[in-house]
Structure formats: structure tokens, C-alpha cells
């Protein structure tokens, strides 16, 4: 009985140790981010311009929010590495190779989606919303409201950019083909807009379209890549 329980105990202890390392890294990253919170907020608020705080505690809690968020983003490679080290003993043969390209690729796509949202989509979205200003209605973004909008806006793009990787893995496992993805194109377009409607920080069609369109483009690009891979494999056969 004890021999059967020992492996489970060992894995739970290993998981606990990995989680402690991840938490310590996140905490350290958050502390460093808090020190530079003012500079970070200046960068994040660039698309919106000057921000305002509406109560005395808003700045302090906003600094904590920025520190926690940027601390997590900055230490995400460490989290991925600890996840890899935890999974490594259970992987065999080709699974190791798959994990070695899957985890770094997922990390790069996450950062790529975040950068795409911040540098291209967010400024356009801010300009779109500010276009509704009138003589009697002038935009004045509060610090906490803008940061909440910023985080809620960024994460859907970061997650949506993982789509090509998911499809490539499914293709490698033989679960999808380029022809199958082409046949389901209309269904995916519908699902992309449903996903955008669920995760969008606002209910307007502009923001939802900004989220859905890149996913559709990535979907089409992945079909091309999978098709090329299939033709290459059939040529070898």
C-alpha cells in the first residue's frame, strides 16, 4: 500500500516545490515592477494620454494591480520552465521533442498576441472610442478603469494567438487536416465572433471584430502551413 502511495506523494511534493518557485518568482517580479510602476503606467497609458485618479487610494491599488500583472508577464518564462520540469519525467521519446517546441512556441505566441494588441489594436480602439466625444462630453479616463480595460483587452489577443499552435498539435496527432479545417471555415468564423463577444471587455462590435479578425487570419494561415506539411509528408511517402 505504501509503495503505491509513494509515487503520488513524490509527485505532489514535486508539484508543491515547483509552485513555490513560481510564486516566489512572481512575487519578486511584482516587487520589481512596483518599484517602476510609475514608469510602467506611463508606457501602458500612452495610447490614452493623461489619466486621472478619483479617490486617494486608487493610485496605490492601481500600482499593485500593475505590479502583479507585469510581474506575472515578466516571469512567465520561469513558470513555463517549471511546468516543463514537472512534466519532463513523464514524457517519453517523441513527446519530449513535442514539448520542447510546444512550450517556447506557446510563450512566444502569448507575447506576440500581447504586443499586437498593445501596439496596433489598442491605439485604434482608443481613438475609436474617443471619437464619440462632443463639446459637452469630453473623455477623462480614470487610472483604475483604464488599467482594468487594458488587461481585459490584452488577454484575449494573447490567448487567441495560441490558436495556430493548438491546430498544429491537433494536426500532428492526426485529429485534423487542412481539408477538414477548410470545410469548417464558416463554423470557425462564427465561433471566433462568439469567442470575441464572450471575452471582449466591451459590448461594441468594433472591439469584438478586432479580436475575431486576427483569429480568422491565423486560422487561414495555419491551414496553409498544415497543407504544406501534409504535401511534404505525402511526397516523402
Amino acid at each position: 500500500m505504501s509503495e503505491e502511495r509513494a509515487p503520488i506523494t513524490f509527485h505532489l511534493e514535486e508539484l508543491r516545490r515547483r509552485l513555490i518557485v513560481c510564486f516566489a518568482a512572481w512575487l519578486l517580479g511584482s516587487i520589481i515592477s512596483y518599484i517602476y510602476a510609475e514608469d510602467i503606467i506611463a508606457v501602458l497609458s500612452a495610447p490614452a494620454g493623461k489619466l486621472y485618479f478619483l479617490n486617494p487610494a486608487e493610485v496605490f491599488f492601481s500600482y499593485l494591480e500593475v505590479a502583479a500583472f507585469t510581474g506575472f508577464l515578466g516571469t512567465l518564462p520561469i513558470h513555463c520552465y517549471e511546468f516543463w520540469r514537472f512534466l519532463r519525467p513523464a514524457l517519453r521519446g517523441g513527446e519530449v521533442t513535442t514539448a520542447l517546441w510546444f512550450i517556447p512556441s506557446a510563450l512566444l505566441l502569448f507575447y506576440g498576441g500581447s504586443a499586437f494588441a498593445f501596439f496596433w489594436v489598442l491605439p485604434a480602439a482608443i481613438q475609436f472610442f474617443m471619437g464619440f466625444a462632443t463639446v459637452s462630453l469630453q473623455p477623462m479616463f480614470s487610472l483604475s478603469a483604464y488599467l482594468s480595460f487594458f488587461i481585459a483587452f490584452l488577454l484575449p489577443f494573447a490567448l487567441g494567438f495560441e490558436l495556430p499552435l493548438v491546430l498544429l498539435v491537433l494536426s500532428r496527432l492526426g485529429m485534423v487536416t487542412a481539408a477538414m479545417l477548410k470545410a469548417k471555415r464558416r463554423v470557425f468564423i462564427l465561433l471566433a465572433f462568439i469567442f470575441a463577444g464572450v471575452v471582449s471587455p466591451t459590448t461594441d462590435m468594433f472591439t469584438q471584430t478586432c479580436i475575431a479578425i486576427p483569429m480568422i487570419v491565423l486560422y487561414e494561415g495555419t491551414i496553409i502551413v498544415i497543407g504544406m506539411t501534409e504535401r511534404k509528408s505525402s511526397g516523402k511517402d
Side-chain angles (χ1 to χ4, degrees), residues 83-149:
F83 176 69
W84 152 252
R85 294 299 300 168
F86 178 72
L87 289 182
R88 176 62 183 86
L91 302 178
R92 297 292 181 271
E95 296 175 345
V96 176
T97 303
T98 301
L100 281 175
W101 68 261
F102 179 87
I103 295 177
S105 298
L107 186 63
L108 290 175
L109 288 171
F110 186 91
Y111 283 137
S114 301
F116 175 78
F118 178 72
F119 289 107
W120 285 284
V121 185
L122 182 63
I126 295 296
Q127 290 300 316
F128 173 79
F129 292 126
M130 291 180 66
F132 291 97
T134 63
V135 175
S136 57
L137 294 173
Q138 291 297 309
M140 187 177 71
F141 301 114
S142 73
L143 177 60
S144 62
Y146 176 78
L147 290 177
S148 298
F149 174 82

Side-chain angles (χ1 to χ4, degrees), residues 37-50:
E38 183 177 354
D39 297 325
I40 294 173
I41 290 177
V43 173
L44 300 185
S45 63
K50 185 181 293 185

